């Protein structure tokens, strides 16, 4: 009887985790669809756009782990909040740009100009910097 209850808990937690992951990917996807419509990015189908978004999400996760560590190292010695904000923005911009260029160069079904990649990287880096400020977190510790 106990094993059955544990199995239900594991299944429930797994379903919940999948739901949260799907929600995050869906939010990310709808954000990209909106931005792409606004700035005129060409893509063959919604499936190609979905593959693009998932690729950006997965590759970006691993690239941002590295750049987040570099950002924390660079920002922890800075006393000025504005300088720390700019440093964090630049690190995040570079990581987003690398991810977007890498995924766009591999995918032939999504066509993004170089200027648009820079604009997307700036938007993503600005939002990321505003929502995840390392200097504020370092001051709280």
């Amino acid at each position: 009887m106990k094993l059955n209850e544990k199995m239900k808990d594991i299944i429930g937690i797994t379903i919940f985790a999948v739901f949260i992951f799907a929600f995050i990917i869906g939010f990310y996807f709808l954000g990209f669809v909106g931005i792409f419509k606004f700035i005129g990015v060409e893509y063959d189908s919604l499936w190609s756009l979905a593959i693009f978004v998932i690729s950006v999400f997965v590759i970006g996760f691993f690239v941002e782990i590295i750049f987040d560590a570099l950002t924390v190292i660079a920002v922890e010695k800075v006393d000025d909040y504005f300088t720390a904000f700019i440093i964090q923005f630049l690190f995040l911009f570079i990581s987003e740009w690398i991810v977007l260029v890498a995924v766009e160069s591999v995918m032939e079904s999504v066509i993004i100009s170089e200027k648009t990649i820079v604009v997307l990287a700036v938007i993503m880096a600005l939002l990321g910097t505003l929502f995840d400020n390392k200097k504020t977190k370092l001051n709280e510790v």
Side-chain angles (χ1 to χ4, degrees):
M1 189 97 175
K2 291 273 187 190
L3 183 61
N4 196 13
E5 289 177 19
K6 286 184 181 181
M7 194 63 139
K8 287 181 183 178
D9 288 343
I10 291 172
I11 291 171
I13 291 171
T14 304
I15 290 172
F16 182 71
V18 167
F19 177 74
I20 295 296
F21 183 73
F23 181 77
I24 291 170
I25 292 292
F27 186 72
Y28 214 66
F29 177 74
L30 292 176
F32 265 101
V33 169
I35 290 173
F36 280 9
K37 290 264 188 210
F38 182 68
I39 58 180
V41 173
E42 298 176 25
Y43 50 90
D44 291 344
S45 67
L46 286 178
W47 284 111
S48 62
L49 185 60
I51 292 170
F52 180 84
V53 170
I54 291 171
S55 299
V56 167
F57 187 77
V58 170
I59 294 170
F61 176 77
F62 293 109
V63 171
E64 284 187 26
I65 288 174
I66 296 166
F67 277 88
D68 277 351
L70 292 172
T71 302
V72 168
I73 291 169
V75 168
E76 72 182 7
K77 299 292 183 194
V78 176
D79 292 330
D80 183 31
Y81 177 80
F82 182 73
T83 305
F85 183 85
I86 295 298
I87 290 170
Q88 183 179 354
F89 172 78
L90 290 174
F91 273 106
L92 197 54
F93 167 75
I94 292 168
S95 71
E96 297 291 353
W97 180 79
I98 288 171
V99 170
L100 288 170
V101 167
V103 173
E104 194 272 335
S105 65
V106 171
M107 292 192 66
E108 296 176 2
S109 58
V110 177
I111 301 168
I112 308 174
S113 70
E114 290 83 14
K115 290 178 186 177
T116 305
I117 289 176
V118 171
V119 169
L120 281 173
V122 166
I123 291 169
M124 292 169 67
L126 187 60
L127 290 174
T129 305
L130 290 174
F131 289 121
D132 185 34
N133 198 322
K134 302 280 187 255
K135 188 64 178 176
T136 306
K137 287 183 180 178
L138 287 173
N139 288 338
E140 291 174 0
V141 174

